[in-house]
Amino acid sequence: MARSFDTVLVVDFGAQYAQLIARRVREAHVYSEIVPASTSAEEMLARSPKGIILSGGPKSVYADNAPEVDAGIYGRGVPVLGICYGAQLLTRQLGGQVARTGTGEYGRTALRRLGHSSELMAGWQGTETVWMSHGDSMVSAPSGFRVTAATEAVPVAALEDGERRIYGVQFHPEVVHTARGQELLKRFLFEVCDCLPTWTHTSVIETSVEAVRRQVGSERVLCALSGGVDSAVAAALVHKAVGNQLTCVFVDTGLMRAGEGEQVESAFLRQFHVDLVHVKAEQRFFAALEGVTDPEQKRKIIGELFIRIFEEVAGERSDVRQLVQGTLYPDVIESGTEAAATIKSHHNVGGLPEEMDLELVEPLRLLFKDEVRAVGVELGLSEDLVWRQPFPGPGLAVRIVGEVTRERVEILRRADEIVLEEVREAGLERELWQYFAVLPAIRSVGVMGDERTYAYPIVIRAVTSEDAMTADWARLPYELLERISTRIIGEVEGVNRVTYDVTSKPPGTIEWE
């Protein structure tokens, strides 16, 4: 997809800063791609990047096995911007000094501009608010650099070598707490790198359509419709590319949220007139999950059965060799790269059986969630469908902590429906990234009326986030939580207790499992 766009590479040093930086670059309508720190200079330069950004990282540049970038990227005509760890790394590699001074900086910090002119901070005031997060500090710049900013604790908070087009900032311009951070990134992209802002939703669709047509050719292709946003947008995109060559297969696992099957059928049968096969496989999934409690095993069981069902459908169509899936860029990153540890298997990435007989078509593989939603709107999908909150591929199975049974799924589905209804009624659905119910497979004693009960608890989870890489628990109004709790206990048989999860990511994950 990236070949027709100016490209900026973001070097990943093992933290999740790289994903946020890449998103900020794309928000400026420039294509960005994350590469591991182990990528050689020649490999990077062979991609003809317009610029290279060295991301932050969790380690000290002096730590054993601290990641480094190939120093061959410097002075090769491609602008380089180092951020936090990346700035310290280029400073050290080019002959400057980085040290642990005993005074770190964390959170909002006053940045003081120095007398030197700055290509990146042109127009900034004498003092600006930035976001810091570092223990080590740059204490002297390499030869040829000018220091353009400092803080009370750090003598080198920003440095530039305009001749070699190498830049470094100790702060994080990618976070919203740095008041003029996006402005700095745009100056790097457009003034220093001479990028063109061509990464738009329209151009993404056009390029993706061309890529799908090249891959699919004249063959028929199946699309895995899960009921979520990602698979729906992927289906609409592939339908735009190959029309009636597409057959959508909706596998009803029995693990979906309330009303999802009907919404999927309505959208793709009535709006797009797509050939839709509805496979009702509830019994097979419950049988496969019987006695299973390990969350990773659940994902793998569901993922493999999901694919096997597609293979069965494909086997009835001798001309089908390819399968469309709504894999996103965060799926790829979270499923494990050289620099990012595997957090969980996604059934559409890490959980696929190795001997699968279908070739994958993944038109959204390079997109973040916000980009996918925008593409969906551009393709004409309904607001209700496009703005559905993210939902895990294995469905409600991963929101039951313990064995998955029909009874537990029905209890959870009804409780989840109440959560969704009340959040929408409160007008908060666009402010939250995800909001849902969880059922831990334990029982506790309660009292309802004059009788003793022994029933399940329901945990309410609601978070705010921009890309699911990090998330904060949502400060829902007490009145809303009270309505949700009252309704669940009063309307859902088998529940006698409701709690609210106030854990952020990290240290927790958004899903419970």
Side-chain angles (χ1 to χ4, degrees):
M1 181 184 289
R3 293 179 181 174
S4 60
F5 301 97
D6 287 342
T7 300
V8 169
L9 299 180
V10 179
V11 180
D12 181 8
F13 291 111
Q16 293 190 342
Y17 299 112
Q19 288 81 43
L20 184 53
I21 294 168
R23 288 187 66 253
R24 295 291 183 245
V25 172
R26 294 187 186 192
E27 287 173 7
H29 303 300
V30 176
Y31 177 72
S32 60
E33 187 173 330
I34 298 169
V35 297
S38 59
T39 308
S40 71
E42 296 310 316
E43 288 176 299
M44 288 192 225
L45 297 173
R47 303 188 187 199
S48 301
K50 299 285 284 189
I52 298 173
I53 299 178
L54 309 181
S55 77
K59 295 186 177 180
S60 164
V61 292
Y62 294 110
D64 292 339
N65 301 317
E68 294 193 350
V69 70
D70 186 339
I73 65 172
Y74 304 125
R76 300 287 293 273
V78 178
V80 176
L81 170 62
I83 295 175
C84 194
Y85 180 94
Q88 294 175 3
L89 181 60
L90 70 84
T91 295
R92 185 173 183 232
Q93 288 182 317
L94 295 173
Q97 185 180 2
V98 178
R100 185 167 290 272
T101 63
T103 305
E105 292 177 310
Y106 302 93
R108 289 183 174 87
T109 305
L111 181 80
R112 177 170 50 87
R113 284 287 313 281
L114 300 181
H116 299 295
S117 62
S118 169
E119 292 182 75
L120 296 186
M121 295 181 288
W124 285 35
Q125 300 299 315
T127 301
E128 297 280 1
T129 299
V130 298
W131 186 265
M132 292 284 195
S133 181
H134 66 97
D136 292 347
S137 300
M138 298 179 289
V139 296
S140 67
S143 176
F145 281 79
R146 60 182 184 274
V147 179
T148 57
T151 68
E152 184 177 341
V154 175
V156 183
L159 69 168
E160 302 182 5
D161 181 341
E163 184 174 339
R164 287 186 291 176
R165 298 202 290 176
I166 304 173
Y167 309 81
V169 293
Q170 181 63 74
F171 55 91
H172 288 273
E174 73 275 18
V175 303
V176 296
H177 308 297
T178 295
R180 304 181 74 167
Q182 187 68 1
E183 180 183 331
L184 182 146
L185 290 175
K186 285 183 176 180
R187 287 196 64 83
F188 178 71
L189 296 172
F190 302 126
E191 303 299 326
V192 176
C193 300
D194 295 321
C195 291
L196 295 176
T198 54
W199 178 257
T200 65
H201 304 136
T202 300
S203 63
V204 168
I205 291 171
E206 292 173 351
T207 307
S208 298
V209 164
E210 292 174 6
V212 169
R213 285 173 178 163
R214 284 196 303 270
Q215 180 177 352
V216 172
S218 60
E219 293 184 352
R220 293 196 59 80
V221 57
L222 293 180
C223 181
L225 274 183
S226 68
V229 177
D230 306 337
S231 64
V233 175
L237 191 53
V238 172
H239 183 259
K240 182 177 179 65
V242 299
N244 60 12
Q245 292 172 238
L246 172 68
T247 295
C248 287
V249 182
F250 176 51
V251 177
D252 191 344
T253 64
L255 303 169
M256 307 303 293
R257 291 174 291 197
E260 285 190 321
E262 294 82 356
Q263 188 179 34
V264 169
E265 285 200 5
S266 175
F268 286 92
L269 280 176
R270 298 178 187 175
Q271 182 178 354
F272 291 101
H273 307 291
V274 171
D275 179 24
L276 179 65
V277 178
H278 188 165
V279 182
K280 297 183 179 182
E282 177 179 346
Q283 291 184 350
R284 293 176 65 178
F285 280 92
F286 278 113
L289 291 168
E290 186 175 355
V292 178
T293 59
D294 180 76
E296 192 70 3
Q297 190 179 358
K298 288 181 193 176
R299 283 183 175 271
K300 292 185 182 299
I301 288 171
I302 294 169
E304 180 160 352
L305 181 54
F306 211 78
I307 294 302
R308 292 303 174 223
I309 291 172
F310 274 105
E311 289 182 328
E312 292 170 11
V313 176
E316 299 169 1
R317 293 162 171 78
S318 59
D319 55 345
V320 172
R321 295 288 181 273
Q322 300 183 73
L323 168 65
V324 178
Q325 285 200 131
T327 309
L328 305 192
Y329 206 25
D331 295 341
V332 177
I333 297 298
E334 284 201 350
S335 290
T337 65
E338 293 181 56
T342 299
I343 298 171
K344 60 178 178 286
S345 293
H346 291 258
H347 89 270
N348 54 348
V349 180
L352 289 175
E354 294 180 1
E355 70 277 15
M356 187 186 68
D357 294 335
L358 300 173
E359 178 187 349
L360 289 181
V361 179
E362 298 174 308
L364 309 180
R365 190 178 179 86
L366 298 180
L367 301 184
F368 289 102
K369 192 75 173 192
D370 54 338
E371 295 174 310
V372 171
R373 293 192 195 279
V375 166
V377 171
E378 192 78 20
L379 289 169
L381 288 170
S382 70
E383 289 276 323
D384 287 344
L385 187 55
V386 168
W387 283 99
R388 298 185 77 165
Q389 58 174 305
F391 188 58
L396 296 176
V398 298
R399 293 179 180 170
I400 294 173
V401 185
E403 183 181 4
V404 178
T405 67
R406 290 177 184 274
E407 177 204 20
R408 291 170 183 170
V409 169
E410 287 305 317
I411 290 172
L412 179 57
R413 181 180 289 120
R414 181 61 187 127
D416 188 71
E417 185 178 21
I418 291 171
V419 174
L420 269 58
E421 288 174 355
E422 290 297 334
V423 168
R424 285 195 294 265
E425 184 66 26
L428 297 177
E429 68 270 26
R430 291 289 183 94
E431 297 180 23
L432 302 175
W433 178 263
Q434 280 179 264
Y435 47 98
F436 54 87
V438 176
L439 190 154
I442 57 174
R443 287 184 172 90
S444 64
V445 173
V447 177
M448 299 179 72
D450 295 325
E451 297 184 1
R452 177 182 182 275
T453 63
Y454 191 57
Y456 293 111
I458 288 290
V459 179
I460 307 303
R461 180 73 160 144
V463 299
T464 58
S465 180
E466 292 190 357
D467 53 14
M469 294 297 177
T470 60
D472 192 16
W473 63 276
R475 275 65 172 174
L476 296 182
Y478 288 149
E479 296 80 5
L480 174 58
L481 291 172
E482 182 181 25
R483 286 196 303 274
I484 292 173
S485 176
T486 300
R487 284 195 61 193
I488 289 176
I489 292 175
E491 299 176 26
V492 183
E493 187 176 354
V495 176
N496 65 357
R497 190 181 301 272
V498 174
T499 67
Y500 187 56
D501 181 356
V502 293
T503 310
S504 296
K505 176 186 179 182
T509 57
I510 295 177
E511 296 292 343
W512 260 57
E513 304 193 61

